[in-house]
């Protein structure tokens, strides 16, 4: 696992969150580029994929190219202010040019050293442990380089694939959050979520 020490970020170093690049486990994680047509197209495909929408109900739905670009611009702004870091998951052999999915470190609380992790994988990249490898890479950076203490991960109850990814990367299941997430495609109904978390002091799992 390789970290570019010239661009790693600490929670108090907000500007550098927009430039972090991570490489390891055969992946290259880089910031999404709102000015790239390829990045915008990949983001649009990811957040409109039926499998994604079955397990996720975005608070701000994205349905077209303009919305996808606005969504990436909003994420870039949060990286600049230091509250989140969003990564395009790319294949290392392609230099990160081929998008495989997304992983983000969100809602960074600087004082407590806590953040929330979320991810998705494009249909053609599923079944290759992309999410597992990306989560292992991001967790290592978050604890060793960004100085975070706790990472949380919540997924819809019943999403067994996401549960396996979390547990394989050392995120212990801590309980059920009742009615914590919106039902698929609705704003008036809620569903339970499983909460997983990993601490910087937890044993590091083997991820490959």
């Amino acid at each position: 696992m390789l970290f570019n020490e010239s661009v790693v970020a600490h929670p108090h170093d907000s500007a550098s969150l927009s430039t972090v690049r991570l490489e390891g486990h055969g992946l290259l994680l880089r910031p999404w580029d709102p000015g790239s047509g390829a990045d915008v197209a990949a983001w649009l495909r990811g957040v409109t994929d039926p499998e994604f929408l079955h397990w996720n109900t975005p608070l701000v739905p994205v349905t077209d190219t303009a919305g996808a670009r606005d969504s990436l611009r909003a994420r870039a702004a949060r990286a600049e202010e230091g509250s989140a870091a969003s990564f395009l998951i790319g294949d290392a052999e392609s230099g990160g040019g081929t998008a495989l999915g997304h992983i983000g470190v969100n809602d960074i609380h600087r004082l407590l050293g806590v953040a929330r992790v979320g991810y998705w994988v494009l249909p053609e990249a599923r079944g290759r442990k992309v999410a597992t490898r990306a989560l292992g890479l991001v967790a290592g950076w978050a604890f060793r380089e960004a100085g975070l203490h706790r990472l949380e991960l919540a997924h819809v109850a019943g999403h067994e694939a996401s549960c396996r990814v979390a547990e394989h990367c050392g995120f212990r299941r801590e309980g059920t959050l009742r009615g914590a997430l919106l039902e698929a495609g609705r704003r008036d109904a809620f569903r339970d979520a499983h909460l997983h978390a990993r601490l910087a002091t937890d044993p590091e799992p083997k991820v490959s």
Side-chain angles (χ1 to χ4, degrees):
M1 185 183 304
L2 303 174
F3 297 97
N4 186 335
E5 294 185 356
S6 65
V7 296
V8 294
H10 292 267
H12 61 273
D13 185 5
S14 60
S16 59
L17 284 178
S18 64
T19 60
V20 176
R21 294 169 67 92
L22 308 174
E23 186 173 355
H25 305 316
L27 301 176
L28 176 62
L29 275 53
R30 62 168 177 82
W32 289 88
D33 180 4
S36 164
D39 281 19
V40 171
W43 183 263
L44 180 60
R45 283 203 303 123
V47 299
T48 57
D49 177 69
E51 180 72 8
F52 171 84
L53 292 174
H54 178 71
W55 298 112
N56 301 273
T57 303
L59 297 179
V60 181
V62 173
T63 59
D64 55 24
T65 298
R69 182 170 286 108
D70 287 345
S71 179
L72 290 183
R73 285 172 176 162
R75 287 181 171 273
R78 287 194 286 274
E80 288 288 344
E81 70 185 18
S83 63
S86 296
F87 300 99
L88 178 150
I89 305 172
D91 187 273
E93 291 186 2
S94 71
T98 301
L100 305 177
H102 160 78
I103 188 164
V105 181
N106 309 305
D107 301 325
I108 297 173
H109 192 297
R110 297 182 183 89
L111 182 60
L112 294 178
V114 175
R116 297 178 180 176
V117 184
Y119 47 80
W120 50 258
V121 177
L122 288 168
E124 65 271 20
R126 291 172 189 155
R128 296 162 50 186
K129 296 186 177 180
V130 170
T132 299
R133 291 184 284 149
L135 181 57
L137 186 58
V138 161
W141 164 74
F143 292 136
R144 290 195 294 271
E145 307 293 342
L148 295 178
H149 164 68
R150 174 181 167 92
L151 289 177
E152 297 180 349
L153 188 163
H155 63 79
V156 171
H159 193 347
E160 296 303 325
S162 191
C163 193
R164 288 193 296 271
V165 169
E167 292 180 343
H168 191 79
C169 291
F171 285 71
R172 301 179 188 178
R173 180 173 168 182
E174 294 188 341
T176 298
L177 303 174
R178 297 178 299 150
L181 298 175
L182 290 168
E183 285 282 0
R186 299 180 63 178
R187 296 291 187 276
D188 60 347
F190 300 86
R191 51 187 169 177
D192 294 348
H194 288 166
L195 174 65
H196 296 255
R198 179 173 154 189
L199 303 181
T201 51
D202 287 341
E204 184 170 359
K206 182 178 180 181
V207 178
S208 59

